């Protein structure tokens, strides 16, 4: 982690002094004038991303989120102003500028042809037009997902919505997207901000934001920056996701949503979704704006899951696939999510405003889980099994009680003067997780031995391994099982607080006849993350019978578990077991908290400064800059000798990060972009400061060790993008990218027998022990294609059709992995991703279907080939080879089909109905080859219907 000590405070003080000097120069006034204006459509809707061109001089800029624009430093004379917006007719007018004065030039863009009528009458189409214009006028490679598009498909949370964009894959959990992965990179390499502010992860020890914590209805738009600029945070090698919350617009806002739904799983589960937003600008000149919105949803999700442990019977005829154990799991959830977002802003003068924005979202991922584990008792020596060890069945019952919260508060402003501007913000963001563990009661069999075995003859479907009938007669007899171990709810929490201040100043000047802007800025962020959680645990001594399983009532019956493929056993609830245990063993789970290997305390300080210059050369816009980011780390980790949180580590490093981009207007409808930028990704806090963590259950236990010597990962990023606007309304884009990674952080894994993790309560046993390390290098390259068009040029009813589609291809390599020389693909790097979304908009009816596909990809490296390019581990060879059941863990390919339709009734009332996961797609993992599955779970389709009311937005 430590590369070089340097004076970050000195660097930051000097930088601030330079910025203040520059600001003093920049804010000097001249005898020039200023032009301000607002761009709206014929219905009064704000148009963000409209392109404004002022002639003579060919000054160009774009409208902001309020549709407003300001042109400073303009010589006194009369100008022609042209405003264009893809999908609407252009506006041309004149404006006279007087010395030292502010001239007003508002533009109303109207439908230029009947084929463009969809832009102002269809909600989703209006949002798509907004996205196209913002993307085309951005200085970097940007993709935008407006609220109108987010709402047009059943996106339960922000991850689900973002996953429909080009080259974006999702790490899913329990039927919803959780983490975002951009351009074949793992979630840690994607930066997530809220209104441009870094928000911390609520989970212990990681950086990536758990996006299923945030409801999609709280956000006005999503911006994915796929390339970096000097004025952006550098920690976005894959990309940077900015969630933009709602603000008050020119028109008053009132929206109310309410829906209910049903999923035919675990005897039928329901859902409820609600949302409301209200906002308005006040005063005769509408200087003050205020908006507040809230959401609440409850989802009784159910999951049918199997988790087998695959093997190979190498001494049986044909060396067939085998299974050593299988977990048959049933989940019943009570997930609730609520959030509030509010904003106020005040316009001090033309081009000058201040704002205050607040956000909070809470996600309670509560539920129940029941697991029966069956063990194969085939003679492992006679069959030539790699891992088999047999045993009697077991059962556990569990509750899930994680409670995630994310909140932020930011105060900021932007002040435009005659030839300069200054922007600033101060913010605080906090996240936390309560209930880190999943309290579990585990039961062991009192049988002397087991007769259960895997039944290959009865297995007709490779994804449905069958087991002998005796397996179920042994496992499902509650009189033969008694309590083995019980854990209580975690005490304490993990949390992170970010305090941040940010400032930037820019000065307009002319380089010959070309308008240019020089910008300088700085940021300081203090991050404090800790985990002080402790999980009480009690193990029943061997030979002792305590609390037989049949002493508790069965709380779940489901004859259709896994579509009736497997019988479901006797399923008591955890809370009944806990109550009985507390009566039988009072105080056993109430001892004082113990510091353990999962605890840590970390403070990270990031100081950044940048210099950036923008020059317009007629058809070429050039942006170049350099960013300096310094990182200082101080942490406390678990000392396994002293048993206390007293092991100190720390260090600092400075990264210099140049960037340059060119946007070339080949024609009025075609742009070419060339971009280079250097980014970084810091190690996860747990990888540096957390000594160890563990998990038991299944075929092999797992333990994770920290590594305080990790270095930050860096990448040189190259992009080429060609964009072409289609008539009357559409866009096609083709792009290529290449990322050269230095010191990529990967995970090495070794199997260790009789291992004792350095964590309180961790039992000794057979473990897969993982540890993060820096590999030698890596790269990822690929291309992406996006196409969007409304086919309004077709005759009659056919003119309502449209299509939105994208495809992304990536290739990648990780070089210098632990104990292997084959240079596999980077983890989480799916070679193929695509989305196809046909649409139909006609009159009051709107419909959209969505097909989303992610190809299989490596989730975790396990294979070892006997080489050892990284010292420090045994030169072992993974049994079964690179395609065998002990090799790398892969995510299965995922294809999901969703649909949604709406019909506008009267007075802004819409009826909305959707179908989610209509093809009942599987989620799961395999090792080496798809037949060696280790998890396959199903959620069944969900159907929901309800109403959306927006009385002030009736077209």
């Amino acid at each position: 982690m430590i590369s070089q000590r340097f004076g970050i405070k000195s660097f930051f003080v000097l930088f601030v002094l330079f910025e203040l000097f520059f600001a003093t120069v920049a804010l000097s006034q001249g005898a020039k004038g200023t032009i301000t204006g607002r761009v709206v459509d014929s219905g009064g809707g704000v148009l963000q991303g409209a392109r404004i061109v002022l002639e003579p001089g060919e000054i160009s800029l774009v409208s902001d989120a309020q549709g407003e624009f300001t042109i400073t430093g303009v010589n006194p004379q009369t100008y022609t102003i042209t405003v264009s917006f893809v999908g609407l007719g252009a506006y041309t007018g004149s404006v006279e500028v007087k010395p030292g004065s502010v001239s007003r030039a508002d533009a109303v863009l109207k439908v230029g042809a009947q084929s463009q009528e969809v832009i102002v009458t269809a909600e989703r189409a209006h949002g798509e037009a907004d996205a196209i214009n913002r993307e085309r006028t951005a200085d970097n490679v940007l993709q935008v997902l407006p609220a109108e598009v987010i709402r047009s498909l059943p996106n339960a949370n922000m991850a689900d919505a973002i996953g429909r964009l080009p080259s974006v894959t999702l790490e899913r959990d329990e039927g919803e997207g959780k983490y975002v992965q951009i351009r074949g990179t793992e979630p840690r390499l994607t930066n997530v901000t809220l209104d441009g502010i870094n928000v911390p992860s609520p989970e212990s020890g990681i950086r990536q934001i758990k996006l299923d914590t945030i409801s999609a209805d709280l956000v006005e738009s999503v911006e994915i920056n796929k390339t970096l600029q000097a004025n952006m945070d550098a920690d976005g090698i894959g990309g940077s996701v900015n969630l933009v919350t709602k603000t008050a617009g020119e028109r008053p806002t009132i929206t109310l949503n309410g829906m209910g739904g049903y999923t035919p799983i675990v005897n039928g589960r329901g859902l409820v979704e609600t949302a409301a937003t209200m906002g308005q600008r006040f005063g005769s000149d509408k200087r003050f704006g205020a908006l507040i919105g809230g959401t609440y949803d409850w989802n009784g999700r159910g999951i049918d899951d199997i988790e087998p442990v695959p093997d190979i019977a190498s001494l049986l005829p044909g060396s067939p696939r085998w299974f050593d154990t299988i977990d048959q799991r049933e989940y019943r959830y009570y997930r609730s999510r609520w959030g509030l977002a509010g904003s106020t802003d005040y316009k001090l003068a033309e081009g000058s405003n201040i704002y205050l924005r607040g956000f909070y979202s809470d996600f309670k991922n509560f539920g129940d889980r029941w697991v029966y584990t069956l063990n194969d008792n085939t003679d492992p020596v006679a069959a030539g099994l790699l891992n088999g060890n047999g045993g009697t069945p077991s059962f556990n019952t569990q509750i899930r009680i994680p409670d995630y919260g994310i909140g932020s508060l930011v105060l900021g402003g932007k002040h435009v003067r005659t030839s300069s501007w200054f922007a600033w913000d101060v913010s605080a963001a906090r996240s936390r997780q309560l209930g880190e563990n999943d309290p579990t009661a585990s039961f062991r069999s009192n049988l002397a031995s087991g007769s259960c075995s895997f039944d290959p003859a009865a297995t007709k479907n490779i994804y449905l391994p069958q087991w002998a009938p005796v397996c179920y007669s042994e496992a499902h007899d509650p009189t033969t099982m008694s309590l083995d171990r019980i854990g209580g709810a975690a005490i304490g929490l993990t949390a992170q607080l970010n305090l941040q201040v940010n400032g930037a100043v820019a000065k307009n000047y002319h380089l010959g006849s070309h308008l240019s802007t020089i910008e300088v800025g700085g940021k300081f962020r203090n991050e404090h993350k800790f985990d002080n959680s402790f999980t009480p645990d009690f193990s029943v001594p061997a030979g002792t019978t305590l609390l037989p399983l049949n002493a508790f009532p069965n709380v779940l019956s489901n004859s259709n578990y896994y579509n009736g493929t497997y019988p479901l056993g006797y399923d008591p609830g955890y809370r009944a077991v806990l109550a009985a245990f507390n009566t039988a063993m009072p105080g056993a789970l109430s001892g004082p908290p113990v510091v353990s290997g999962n605890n840590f305390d970390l403070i990270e300080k990031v100081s950044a400064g940048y210099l950036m210059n923008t020059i317009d050369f007629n058809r070429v816009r050039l942006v170049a800059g350099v960013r300096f980011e310094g990182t200082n780390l101080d942490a406390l980790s678990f000392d396994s000798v002293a048993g206390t949180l007293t092991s100190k580590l720390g260090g600092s490093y400075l990264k210099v990060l140049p960037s340059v981009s060119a946007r070339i207007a080949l024609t009025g409808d075609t742009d070419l972009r060339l971009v280079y930028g250097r980014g970084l990704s810091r190690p996860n806090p747990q990888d540096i400061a957390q000594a160890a963590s563990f998990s038991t259950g299944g075929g092999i236990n797992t333990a994770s060790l920290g590594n305080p010597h990790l270095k930050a990962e860096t990448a040189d990023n190259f992009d080429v993008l060609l964009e072409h606007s289609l008539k009357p309304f559409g866009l096609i884009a083709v792009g290529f990218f290449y990322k050269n990674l230095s010191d990529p952080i990967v995970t090495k894994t070794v199997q260790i027998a009789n291992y004792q993790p350095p964590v309180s309560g961790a039992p000794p046993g057979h473990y897969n022990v993982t540890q993060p390390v820096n590999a030698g290098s890596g790269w990822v390259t690929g291309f992406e294609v996006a196409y969007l068009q409304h086919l309004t040029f077709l005759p009659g009813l056919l003119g309502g059709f449209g299509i939105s589609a994208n495809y992304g291809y990536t290739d990648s390599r990780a070089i210098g992995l632990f104990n292997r020389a084959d240079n596999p693909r980077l983890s989480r790097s799916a070679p193929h991703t695509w989305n196809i979304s046909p649409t139909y908009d006609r009159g009051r009816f709107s419909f959209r279907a969505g097909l989303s596909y992610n190809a299989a990809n490596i989730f975790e490296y396990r294979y070892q080939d006997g080489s050892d390019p990284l010292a420090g581990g045994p030169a072992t060879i993974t049994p079964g080879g690179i395609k065998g059941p002990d090799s790398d863990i892969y995510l299965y390919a995922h294809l999901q089909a969703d649909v949604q339709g709406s019909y506008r009734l009267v007075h802004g009332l819409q009826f909305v109905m959707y179908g989610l996961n209509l093809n009942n797609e599987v989620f799961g993992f395999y090792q080496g080859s798809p037949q060696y599955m280790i998890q396959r779970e199903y959620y069944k389709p969900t159907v929901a219907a309800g109403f959306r009311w927006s009385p002030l937005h009736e077209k």
Side-chain angles (χ1 to χ4, degrees):
M1 178 68 200
I2 305 172
S3 61
Q4 178 181 348
R5 174 71 61 176
F6 81 102
I8 287 182
K9 292 183 179 179
S10 299
F11 162 77
F12 189 70
V13 170
L14 288 173
F15 179 79
V16 170
L17 291 174
F18 174 70
E19 181 178 323
L20 290 174
F21 170 78
F22 188 87
T24 301
V25 175
L27 296 178
S28 61
Q29 299 299 300
K32 297 184 178 182
T34 299
I35 301 173
T36 66
R38 179 178 294 111
V39 185
V40 297
D41 62 23
S42 58
V46 166
L47 296 179
Q48 181 179 359
R51 180 174 291 177
I52 298 102
V53 177
L54 192 69
E55 294 179 316
E58 295 191 349
I59 298 173
S60 66
L61 72 162
V62 299
S63 57
D64 64 14
Q66 299 299 325
E68 297 181 343
F69 63 91
T70 301
I71 308 173
T72 61
V74 183
N75 290 322
Q77 68 178 80
T78 300
Y79 292 89
T80 298
I81 186 168
T82 302
V83 183
S84 59
F85 188 90
V86 174
L88 293 174
Y91 166 88
T92 300
S94 62
V95 57
E96 182 182 359
V97 177
K98 297 180 179 180
S101 66
V102 178
S103 301
R104 189 78 187 178
D106 295 328
V108 178
L109 273 59
K110 300 179 180 180
V111 172
Q114 186 176 359
S115 59
Q116 296 174 331
E117 184 68 26
V118 67
I119 304 302
V120 293
T121 59
E123 184 180 71
R124 187 193 63 257
H126 190 281
E128 290 169 338
D130 174 73
I132 288 175
N133 285 275
R134 290 165 65 180
E135 292 167 2
R136 285 207 61 199
T137 55
D139 285 329
N140 60 326
V141 177
L142 174 71
Q143 288 178 325
V144 178
L145 195 65
E148 298 92 337
V149 179
I150 294 172
R151 290 194 300 263
S152 66
L153 277 174
N155 298 307
N157 64 61
M158 287 314 310
D160 287 332
I162 298 169
R164 303 185 190 276
L165 292 172
S167 298
V168 176
T169 58
L170 299 179
E171 180 177 325
R172 300 176 183 273
D173 185 35
E174 299 161 358
E176 292 186 17
K178 179 169 66 171
Y179 303 132
V180 172
Q181 302 161 195
I182 300 175
R183 289 181 160 178
T185 59
E186 60 173 300
R188 179 178 55 85
L189 303 187
T190 296
N191 186 37
V192 177
T193 60
L194 186 65
D195 291 320
I197 302 303
N198 290 80
V199 289
S201 169
E203 297 176 282
S204 175
I206 64 174
R207 294 187 184 274
Q208 63 263 26
I209 304 300
K210 183 178 168 66
L211 286 171
D212 54 359
T213 304
I214 301 174
S215 169
D217 275 319
L218 288 176
V219 173
E220 179 63 28
S221 67
V222 180
E223 300 170 337
I224 297 187
N225 296 279
K226 291 188 173 180
T227 59
L228 297 173
Q229 292 185 162
N231 60 355
M232 297 171 57
D233 288 316
D235 44 357
I237 289 176
S240 182
V241 177
N242 184 36
L243 308 180
V244 182
T245 58
K246 300 174 182 179
T247 58
E250 283 301 299
R251 296 184 298 180
T253 298
I254 298 178
T255 61
L256 298 173
N257 303 336
M259 301 189 73
Y262 177 81
T263 306
I265 195 170
V266 194
N267 304 312
R269 306 294 291 161
L271 67 86
V272 174
E273 300 172 3
T274 61
T277 302
M278 293 184 293
Q280 186 173 344
R281 303 202 69 82
F282 299 90
S284 58
D285 51 4
K286 298 185 177 180
R287 286 181 177 269
F288 177 72
L291 180 142
I292 188 168
T295 67
Y296 174 81
D297 66 83
W298 185 94
N299 193 325
R301 187 178 300 280
I303 304 175
D304 290 344
D305 179 26
I306 60 170
E307 299 189 9
V309 176
D311 207 329
I312 297 176
S314 59
L315 297 182
L316 296 182
S319 299
R321 178 190 66 159
W322 209 260
F323 288 97
D324 299 325
T325 71
I326 187 172
D327 277 3
Q328 297 177 350
R329 302 184 174 203
E330 186 78 318
Y331 297 79
R332 185 175 64 187
Y333 276 97
Y334 317 92
R335 299 157 63 101
S336 65
R337 183 168 32 220
W338 68 271
L340 288 172
S343 69
T344 61
D345 66 274
Y346 185 77
K347 186 180 296 184
L348 300 171
E350 289 294 342
S352 180
N353 73 297
I354 57 173
Y355 59 85
L356 177 68
R357 295 176 183 172
F359 177 92
Y360 185 79
S361 186
D362 183 89
F363 176 37
K364 293 179 172 60
N365 193 21
F366 293 178
D368 303 309
R369 190 196 74 176
W370 298 268
V371 181
Y372 275 93
T373 301
L374 311 180
N375 295 302
D376 173 69
N377 287 277
T378 302
D379 185 340
V381 177
L385 298 176
L386 303 179
N387 306 306
N389 51 22
T392 56
S394 61
F395 166 77
N396 70 69
T397 178
Q398 179 185 93
I399 59 171
R400 298 201 158 187
I401 53 173
D403 183 353
Y404 307 96
I406 297 176
S408 68
L409 184 67
V410 56
L411 173 68
K414 185 173 183 179
H415 313 284
V416 180
R417 306 297 293 269
T418 301
S419 60
S420 62
W421 59 258
F422 173 66
W424 58 275
D425 61 67
V426 292
S427 65
R430 185 179 185 270
S431 66
R432 58 101 181 106
Q433 179 186 347
L434 305 173
E436 277 195 70
N437 72 319
D438 299 319
T440 305
S442 300
F443 290 77
R444 63 193 179 206
S445 174
N446 297 320
L447 298 174
S449 61
S451 302
C452 175
S453 63
F454 167 61
D455 189 348
T459 302
K460 308 303 181 182
N461 184 322
I462 65 169
Y463 297 125
L464 299 173
Q466 298 299 301
W467 297 74
V470 67
C471 298
Y472 299 104
S473 60
E474 290 179 351
H476 293 174
D477 183 355
T479 64
T480 64
M481 289 199 181
S482 61
L483 186 68
D484 178 54
R485 187 177 180 186
I486 187 168
I491 301 168
L493 79 162
T494 179
Q496 179 173 337
L497 174 65
N498 288 3
L499 301 176
Q500 179 175 298
V501 58
N502 184 38
V505 62
K507 171 75 174 178
N508 296 332
Y509 70 98
H510 281 84
L511 184 64
S513 61
H514 304 291
L515 180 65
S516 306
T517 303
I518 186 166
E519 179 182 340
V520 63
K523 173 182 288 188
F524 177 75
R525 182 171 70 250
N526 187 92
E527 304 175 353
H528 181 200
K529 192 176 187 75
F530 67 88
D531 185 332
N532 63 11
S533 62
F534 165 72
T535 299
D537 185 87
F538 181 86
S539 294
V540 179
T544 301
T545 299
L546 178 68
L547 300 179
L549 188 62
N550 66 334
F552 308 100
N554 181 60
V555 297
L556 177 71
S557 298
N558 182 11
S559 61
N560 199 40
Y561 166 70
Y562 227 81
N563 287 329
T565 301
Y566 304 104
L568 196 63
Y570 189 81
D571 293 318
Y574 166 83
R575 288 181 174 84
V577 179
L578 178 65
F581 176 81
N582 286 334
T583 299
M585 304 285 294
L589 291 178
S590 58
V594 177
V595 177
S596 189
N598 66 293
N599 299 142
F600 66 89
D601 191 287
L602 180 145
I603 295 177
E604 184 178 83
K605 298 177 181 179
V606 177
S607 305
Y610 71 89
L611 179 67
M612 190 174 79
N613 195 55
T614 304
I615 307 175
D616 278 310
F617 295 103
N618 196 1
R619 289 184 172 272
V620 178
R621 183 174 173 87
L622 182 66
V623 182
V626 61
R627 186 178 184 89
F628 304 90
E629 283 213 5
T631 305
N632 187 288
L633 179 71
D634 291 291
L636 292 176
S637 183
F638 178 69
D639 186 328
S640 59
V641 177
T644 57
L645 200 69
T646 54
S647 180
K648 296 184 178 180
L649 57 96
S652 60
Y653 53 89
L654 173 68
K655 297 293 183 181
V656 181
L657 308 157
S659 61
V660 60
S661 65
R663 188 180 74 216
I664 306 168
L666 301 179
T667 69
D669 296 321
T670 306
D671 289 339
L672 174 67
R673 298 175 187 266
L674 306 173
V675 186
Y676 163 76
R678 185 167 177 80
L680 67 86
S681 181
R682 299 173 178 86
N684 281 325
Q686 70 181 11
D687 292 343
I688 305 168
Q690 191 177 68
S693 61
F694 77 99
S695 176
T696 60
I700 301 177
N701 302 323
T702 61
S704 299
L705 305 180
N707 181 356
H709 303 293
L710 283 176
K711 295 181 288 186
E713 182 174 348
T714 58
D716 292 296
N717 308 293
F718 302 86
D719 280 79
V720 179
L721 179 66
L722 183 67
E723 300 169 306
H724 177 70
S725 298
L726 301 171
K727 303 296 186 182
F729 168 41
L731 179 74
I732 185 167
V734 181
F736 165 83
F737 61 89
Y738 175 78
K739 301 177 183 291
N740 185 38
L741 307 176
S742 300
D743 299 316
I745 299 172
V746 299
T747 301
K748 72 175 185 180
T749 303
V750 294
Q751 286 192 14
I752 304 178
N754 299 317
Y755 178 71
Q756 174 73 61
V759 183
S760 174
H766 193 181
Y767 282 81
N768 274 321
V769 182
T770 64
Q771 185 177 38
V773 296
N774 289 109
S777 60
W779 55 263
V780 57
T781 188
F783 67 88
E784 53 195 30
V785 180
Y787 170 66
L788 169 67
Q789 189 166 25
H790 284 259
L791 308 179
T792 54
F793 53 84
L794 294 177
L797 295 177
L798 297 178
F801 282 103
I803 185 71
S804 174
N806 59 69
Y807 169 78
Y809 169 79
T810 62
D811 191 14
S812 63
R813 291 293 181 272
I815 302 167
L817 294 183
F818 172 77
N819 203 13
R820 64 190 296 175
D822 61 329
N823 300 335
R825 294 179 62 91
L826 290 171
S827 64
R828 319 292 183 90
S829 180
H832 306 283
T833 64
W834 52 261
N835 294 274
I836 299 176
S837 183
T839 63
Y840 189 82
D841 299 282
R842 195 71 174 181
R844 295 179 175 271
F845 178 70
S846 184
F847 171 84
R848 184 183 181 193
L851 287 173
S852 296
Y853 175 79
N854 299 332
N857 57 92
I858 296 175
F859 182 80
E860 182 179 310
Y861 299 118
R862 290 287 181 90
Y863 176 71
Q864 299 175 19
D865 61 12
S867 62
D868 196 12
L870 289 176
T876 59
I877 300 176
T878 300
I882 197 168
K883 296 293 185 181
D886 288 349
S887 189
D888 297 329
I889 297 177
Y890 286 78
L891 279 159
Y892 276 106
H894 189 91
L895 173 65
Q896 183 167 310
D898 309 312
V899 298
Q900 179 168 305
S902 64
Y903 187 81
R904 287 187 290 123
L905 300 171
V906 293
H907 305 302
L909 183 65
Q910 293 183 61
F911 173 75
V912 182
M913 186 172 184
Y914 71 71
L916 176 69
N917 188 29
L918 295 181
N919 57 328
N920 191 27
E921 179 65 318
V922 69
F923 170 82
F925 301 88
Y926 64 88
Q927 285 191 253
S929 302
Q931 62 174 330
Y932 299 124
M933 66 275 195
I934 58 175
Q935 180 180 1
R936 286 179 68 86
E937 63 183 34
Y938 291 91
Y939 315 101
K940 296 291 183 70
T942 296
V943 176
F947 294 92
R948 180 180 299 137
W949 185 52
S950 185
L952 302 180
H953 284 179
E954 178 75 1
K955 305 294 185 186

